[in-house]
Every structure is written in structure tokens, then in C-alpha cells.
Amino acid sequence: MMIAPQTLLEPVSPLEATALDYQSATYRDAYSRINAIVIEGEQEAHDNYQRLTELLPDQRERLLELAKMEKRHQKGFTACGRNLDVVPDMDFARAFFAELHGNFQQAAAAGDVVTCLLIQALIIECFAIAAYNIYIPVADDFARKITEGVVKEEYSHLNFGEEWLKANFATAKEGLIAANRINLPIVWKMLNVVADDARVLGMEKEALVEDFMIQYGEALNNIGFNTREVMKLSAMGLAA
Ligand code: PL3
Ligand code: FE2
Ligand code: FE2
């Protein structure tokens, strides 16, 4: 079959080809929940890095820097909602994060740095990076610029977790496997909860899962897990 030269020069993804009406009631209704999730997620991230200063006092300065970035991200996404005249549904967002939030608090109270880093610096950051990467091409102009700036910084947060866990891999390994078994299935549940709203925004669940698996798998690999272990860990609880 011949491929029209235009197709090769100007690839238009099916999602971009579908015009999104950012002002429509349907779009804004879905945005009220997704926007709230992101605002709450940035808040949780901010609080979690602050909390981690108590568990990793020698990393205090760096962690406070990360926490400050999360606060900026939150302000940026709050502006995105306001720009579309959307009121974020914060009750929905708090319920969305409740389980991961509880597990982080429990781990922090037990002084379990490994679980805390797995939840925040690996799982939540990879979830954010995947979501933001998929959102950028379908975002409105205002939100796209903000999200592009944010996603770059999220990689440095993921990097922080990777570095620490890599340096402590021998003692952290079993704890990571156990914490992954408990917390990764929660992420798949969370993804199912947002899937319908995300689709309204032009984001496909399959693309989110794929991007998450890539980020998370790479992170686990950088920390020291071998390919076989990465496959097992990153698919934990992902039942089709
Ligand atoms: C950590 O720095 C931030 C944590 C935020 C978590 C975000 C999860 C997002 C899931 C929903 C996908 C929609 C993304 C749209 C962006 C406005
Ligand atoms: Fe962030
Ligand atoms: Fe972050």
C-alpha cells in the first residue's frame, strides 16, 4: 500500500485529530476531578518530602528543595483550573489518594524510609510523569506550558529516590519488593478510577499504563533490579 507523503511528514495522532472543546460542560466536569487530583497529588508530594526530612536528616536541604518545587507545581495546576473556570473537587481527590496517603503515614511512623521512598519518589512520581507526558499533547495552551515545566522537575524527584535506593540497594531490596506488592496494585485501582475522566481530556488509559510501566521499570532497573525482577515487580497486581 502506498503511504501518502503527507502522512509521513505530518503525523497527526488520533487524539490530536479529535478537537477537544475545553469550554464544554463535559470537559470542565471531568477537569474538576482530574485537576483536583493533580492539586492534591502535588500537596501530598510536598508533605511527603517534608516528612522525609525527619527520616533522612542528612538529606534535609535537598528534600526541602523538592518540597518547595511541589508547592510551585500545585500553584501552577491551580492556575490551570482557574483558567478554565473550573472548581476542583478536592473531596474527590482526597478520597482518591487516601489509601496511598495512609500507607505513607504508616511507613513514616515506623521509620520505614524504603517504603516511603517507594510510595512517593517512585510510584507517585512515575504516575505523575506518565500522566503529564500523556496530557501535554492534548492540553490547552495555558496548561501545556505549565505542565511542560512541571514534568521536567518531576524527573529530578524520581532521580532522588533512585539514587538513594541504589546506594542502599542491598539492605533495601526486600523492603522494596514487599512495599511494591502492597502499593502497586493501589495505583492500578487509582488508574481505573480516573480512566473515564482522563479519556474525556483526550488521555487513553492504555497510554497511561504504558508510560507508567516504562518510567517505573526504568527506575527499578537503575536502582539495581535485573530485567526479570523488573518485569515481575512492575506488573504486580496488573490484572487485565
Ligand atoms: C508529584 O510531584 C505529583 C503527583 C501528582 C499525581 C498525579 C496523578 C495524575 C493522574 C491523573 C491523570 C491526569 C493528568 C492531567 C494533568 C492535568
Ligand atoms: Fe510535582
Ligand atoms: Fe514530584
Side-chain angles (χ1 to χ4, degrees):
M1 195 189 76
M2 285 276 289
I3 299 169
Q6 217 146 345
T7 318
L8 294 170
L9 289 169
E10 291 176 72
V12 175
S13 84
L15 285 175
E16 283 170 298
T18 317
L20 289 166
D21 182 357
Y22 301 114
Q23 306 300 331
S24 71
T26 314
Y27 188 93
R28 290 167 66 247
D29 173 60
Y31 207 84
S32 71
R33 285 177 295 278
I34 301 269
N35 186 228
I37 284 171
V38 174
I39 291 169
E40 175 64 21
E42 297 293 355
Q43 180 68 46
E44 300 267 342
H46 166 270
D47 298 350
N48 291 347
Y49 287 119
Q50 279 206 336
R51 185 75 207 265
L52 274 163
T53 61
E54 292 164 38
L55 289 100
L56 296 169
D58 57 319
Q59 301 287 327
R60 186 179 162 80
E61 291 314 312
R62 217 161 146 211
L63 286 163
L64 290 178
E65 202 50 52
L66 300 187
K68 219 184 285 169
M69 285 184 201
E70 304 294 23
K71 208 65 204 171
R72 274 206 307 275
H73 298 171
Q74 187 191 41
K75 289 210 176 86
F77 288 123
T78 301
C80 293
R82 210 180 300 123
N83 181 52
L84 294 178
D85 210 4
V86 161
V87 179
D89 185 344
M90 297 311 296
D91 287 340
F92 176 85
R94 272 186 288 271
F96 180 81
F97 276 103
E99 224 177 324
L100 273 191
H101 175 91
N103 287 355
F104 183 96
Q105 298 308 319
Q106 205 183 329
D112 180 355
V113 186
V114 170
T115 297
C116 287
L117 284 177
L118 178 109
I119 292 175
Q120 176 56 49
L122 301 188
I123 288 186
I124 297 183
E125 299 295 353
C126 286
F127 193 21
I129 290 170
Y132 299 165
N133 276 339
I134 304 300
Y135 177 58
I136 285 168
V138 293
D140 64 81
D141 288 343
F142 182 85
R144 182 170 53 247
K145 287 192 193 87
I146 293 199
T147 311
E148 281 170 348
V150 168
V151 77
K152 283 190 201 122
E153 296 192 337
E154 303 301 8
Y155 283 104
S156 71
H157 302 178
L158 174 57
N159 206 266
F160 174 84
E162 281 176 11
E163 263 178 38
W164 195 92
L165 291 166
K166 183 180 178 173
N168 296 275
F169 188 60
T171 50
K173 188 175 179 184
E174 288 314 310
L176 282 171
I177 294 170
N180 178 78
R181 186 176 294 121
I182 293 169
N183 291 287
L184 198 59
I186 298 174
V187 173
W188 305 131
K189 277 195 285 179
M190 291 164 79
L191 211 48
N192 282 329
V193 172
V194 283
D196 288 346
D197 286 331
R199 187 159 282 132
V200 173
L201 270 50
M203 305 161 69
E204 297 296 331
K205 180 187 161 188
E206 294 69 27
L208 289 164
V209 171
E210 185 184 292
D211 206 278
F212 178 88
M213 297 276 267
I214 292 170
Q215 310 296 337
Y216 194 60
E218 257 177 38
L220 293 171
N221 194 258
N222 292 341
I223 289 165
F225 287 103
N226 67 35
T227 308
R228 181 184 296 272
E229 292 167 331
V230 168
M231 300 279 260
K232 256 182 97 173
L233 286 166
S234 60
M236 180 61 66
L238 179 67

